[in-house]
Amino acid sequence: MKKIIYSVVVAVIFIGCERLDKIQDDPNRVNSSTPDLLLTNIEISIAKNIDLGASMASRQLTNTDGVSATQYYNWQRGSFDNFYKLKQVQKMQEEAERYNEPVYHALAKFINSYLIVETTMVFGDVPYSDALKVKEGISQPKYEAQKNIFLRVLADLEAANLDLAASTNVIKGDLIYKGDVLKWRKLVNSYTLKVLMDLSHHENDTDLEVKSRFQAIVNNPAQYPIFNHLNESAFLHFVDSKGNQYPNFNNNSMQTAYYLEESFVNRLADLKDTRLFRFAAMKNNRPDNDVNNFENYGGLYGSALMNQNTQKAVNGLASRVNSRYYLDPINEPGVLLSYWSIQFVLAEAAERGWIAANPTPFYEEGIRASFAFFNAQMPEGYLTQEKVVLGGTNNIERILTQKHIASFMNSGWQIFYDNRRTGFPKFNIDGGGVLNQGRLPKRWMYPASEATNNNTNLEEAVNRQFNDGDTINGEMWLIK
């Protein structure tokens, strides 16, 4: 396999903070490059998507090294680090212009959309149209209303699909699809379906036209191709060379401090779901050594007091993560967007009546694809057992529950956002350890640097959105 060079632009969305004008003009970054090299680095920066904090917040993992802010829902400020990546996309467009390779402009429309959606999902309103314009004299960008951001994203994604369809350029530097334009179009349109589902609280908004846009894509595969197979997912494959390995390879904390979450283990055991054996190691205190015995697995309760969880772990009653997550340098690929997640989006859309279809085939295909991704053998009768099959009044809960299982150690924060949007699957907060007054947070506070460097625009955005100021419990437009 061709060696992947991981360099430049590896920034995590939830750490650090920086003023935007510094982000836009970093003297340590290259001033010129080719668009293909920039694309390679940008893909690496957005497609790893393996976040232990997201797994803890989503009640899949727990940690015993200390009181984790993500596990106990007491996080505070987020970061504008995604603007570093947006700057790199801007540079890729400039170089594409210089080298007369317009296909990179189409890719930029998608990547810009992806990055700004990731950013607005964290905070609510954020700078966008005025961002990255320091050369035009704008060092204090205004915050754009979240609805307007999504309207622009939908327009840019539409344009990206059309531009790619008309392109005759070769896409060089593409680690994800090796230059396959059709697969890029499928990614763009599949991602559009995901964004439209993120907007489900506003499905009747006449400006957004959520349902009609969704239907237009599903009903016209010639113009709007979408994922049709697991191998069309947007994956970043790792290789066994230094700097290019699975992000948690040789991570000592993964070996000693991370355990499966109890309600997650219980759900999988209750369903006789063999993906558990790919996620977890057997607990030390177990009845036998059969790796296929569900009784040999356990977890720590995500919201329980730290000392209770620590004692349970010492007593050997909880499963650490499967050793492949820290011993296998290749392990699973990073997931930018997966086939199975889009199958669950289609199932939810069918259940909501957005498309004239039975949700069951999409739902079952999503489950099958997830088992295949994790290289787990689906038990006979899994799809027909009473606790899995659709048909009752709790179909959306079951769809989101399976989506939650499928997102283990991949897909970043999306499943947490899905819970914020739907309430499913339920994340426990009753164990006595949750620090946010027993509540699930709804967002992150803005970076502290914004109060210093862009305070007027920050205050206007906060006052426009939240009655109680910039807090982690503020309800952004998206989920109202």
Side-chain angles (χ1 to χ4, degrees):
M1 181 179 294
K2 181 180 179 181
K3 182 177 179 181
I4 304 172
I5 302 174
Y6 285 3
S7 61
V8 191
V9 204
V10 181
V12 180
I13 192 170
F14 300 112
I15 59 173
C17 54
E18 195 76 52
R19 60 178 289 170
L20 280 178
D21 56 337
K22 289 185 179 180
I23 286 173
Q24 295 174 68
D25 292 288
D26 188 338
N28 295 317
R29 296 183 184 273
V30 294
N31 292 319
S32 64
S33 184
T34 55
D36 55 297
L37 178 58
L38 288 162
L39 175 65
T40 299
N41 290 319
I42 291 164
E43 286 182 348
I44 293 165
S45 75
I46 65 175
K48 284 190 176 181
N49 236 0
I50 298 163
D51 193 311
L52 298 177
S55 295
M56 288 190 287
S58 300
R59 295 296 184 243
Q60 296 170 335
L61 291 180
T62 59
N63 184 278
T64 57
D65 265 351
V67 178
S68 164
T70 48
Q71 180 178 329
Y72 291 106
Y73 300 140
N74 195 41
W75 57 68
Q76 296 298 312
R77 297 193 180 276
S79 163
F80 275 176
D81 280 352
N82 271 348
F83 286 99
Y84 283 117
K85 302 175 190 178
L86 285 165
K87 178 61 178 176
Q88 292 300 301
V89 181
Q90 183 185 67
K91 186 64 179 176
M92 183 180 74
Q93 291 178 280
E94 292 171 0
E95 296 304 305
E97 189 74 27
R98 191 158 69 96
Y99 285 93
N100 192 28
E101 297 192 71
V103 69
Y104 293 96
H105 290 292
L107 299 183
K109 288 184 175 74
F110 165 75
I111 299 168
N112 280 333
S113 297
Y114 177 85
L115 288 170
I116 201 62
V117 166
E118 288 296 296
T119 307
T120 191
M121 294 286 262
V122 173
F123 301 104
D125 296 359
V126 291
Y128 193 31
S129 295
D130 283 349
L132 307 182
K133 288 186 176 181
V134 68
K135 292 180 180 179
E136 299 173 31
I138 301 176
S139 60
Q140 296 178 323
K142 293 182 179 179
Y143 283 62
E144 196 156 347
Q146 195 171 47
K147 177 179 175 177
N148 293 340
I149 291 173
F150 276 99
L151 283 168
R152 176 175 165 185
V153 162
L154 292 171
D156 283 349
L157 292 171
E158 173 81 16
N161 174 56
L162 294 175
D163 291 349
L164 286 167
S167 175
T168 58
N169 289 106
V170 175
I171 302 175
K172 294 172 289 186
D174 177 15
L175 297 178
I176 295 175
Y177 288 132
K178 312 303 182 200
D180 190 324
V181 173
L182 178 58
K183 286 184 178 178
W184 269 103
R185 291 182 65 201
K186 290 185 175 187
L187 170 59
V188 168
N189 296 317
S190 298
Y191 181 74
T192 305
L193 295 180
K194 175 263 179 197
V195 169
L196 290 167
M197 187 54 69
D198 289 337
L199 291 164
S200 65
H201 281 225
H202 300 277
E203 62 179 297
N204 296 317
D205 188 299
T206 55
D207 297 321
L208 293 164
E209 300 179 300
V210 171
K211 289 183 281 190
S212 61
R213 289 179 193 263
F214 200 101
Q215 292 162 7
I217 294 173
V218 173
N219 294 335
N220 192 349
Q223 183 173 347
Y224 300 103
I226 63 173
F227 291 158
N228 290 313
H229 193 275
L230 179 61
N231 65 14
E232 294 175 339
S233 303
F235 291 155
L236 177 68
H237 294 277
F238 301 104
V239 297
D240 189 10
S241 64
K242 187 174 178 61
N244 306 329
Q245 298 153 327
Y246 185 76
N248 291 315
F249 177 59
N250 282 338
N251 183 332
N252 186 63
S253 293
M254 286 288 289
Q255 303 179 49
T256 60
Y258 283 93
Y259 293 81
L260 273 287
E261 202 280 329
E262 181 179 324
S263 62
F264 186 62
V265 173
N266 290 347
R267 179 179 298 125
L268 290 161
D270 191 41
L271 297 175
K272 303 302 180 187
D273 193 319
T274 53
R275 286 174 289 187
L276 176 61
F277 310 145
R278 297 288 292 157
F279 299 160
M282 291 187 290
K283 60 187 180 182
N284 290 333
N285 189 346
R286 56 182 185 264
D288 57 48
N289 292 320
D290 181 2
V291 295
N292 297 315
N293 181 358
F294 286 96
E295 293 183 8
N296 289 333
Y297 299 84
L300 305 179
Y301 202 57
S303 61
L305 295 169
M306 173 59 67
N307 63 339
Q308 295 174 353
N309 276 338
T310 302
Q311 188 59 54
K312 189 175 179 181
V314 169
N315 293 340
L317 297 174
S319 295
R320 290 191 172 94
V321 295
N322 192 298
S323 62
R324 68 192 178 88
Y325 287 105
Y326 52 83
L327 293 181
D328 185 349
I330 298 175
N331 198 31
E332 295 159 359
V335 179
L336 180 62
L337 190 69
S338 67
Y339 169 67
W340 66 81
S341 69
I342 298 306
Q343 291 299 300
F344 292 129
V345 165
L346 289 165
E348 185 177 347
E351 179 62 25
R352 291 181 181 277
W354 291 8
I355 55 175
N358 183 343
T360 296
F362 299 120
Y363 170 70
E364 293 183 350
E365 179 63 9
I367 296 172
R368 282 190 289 266
S370 172
F371 271 88
F373 174 76
F374 289 115
N375 196 25
Q377 182 66 42
M378 184 189 295
E380 184 176 354
Y382 181 89
L383 294 175
T384 58
Q385 59 182 308
E386 189 278 329
K387 294 177 181 178
V388 173
V389 70
L390 299 184
T393 59
N394 57 352
N395 284 356
I396 289 181
E397 179 176 5
R398 291 191 174 186
I399 292 166
L400 269 294
T401 296
Q402 285 294 333
K403 192 176 181 183
H404 178 248
I405 296 171
S407 74
F408 184 77
M409 293 285 283
N410 64 64
S411 306
W413 284 84
Q414 182 58 42
I415 200 63
F416 182 84
Y417 298 147
D418 281 340
N419 170 275
R420 182 176 67 180
R421 176 176 63 87
T422 68
F424 302 124
K426 293 180 172 62
F427 296 156
N428 61 77
I429 53 175
D430 61 344
V434 174
L435 299 175
N436 184 34
Q437 297 180 331
R439 295 177 291 179
L440 282 163
K442 295 179 179 177
R443 59 182 294 273
W444 282 253
M445 295 164 59
Y446 289 109
S449 59
E450 283 292 277
T452 302
N453 301 312
N454 195 16
N455 188 60
T456 298
N457 290 320
L458 172 64
E459 285 192 355
E460 190 277 330
V462 170
N463 293 336
R464 181 174 68 226
Q465 297 174 88
F466 310 117
N467 292 331
D468 296 324
D470 186 14
T471 73
I472 64 173
N473 298 306
E475 192 171 76
M476 64 181 68
W477 168 86
L478 183 67
I479 54 175
K480 287 183 178 178

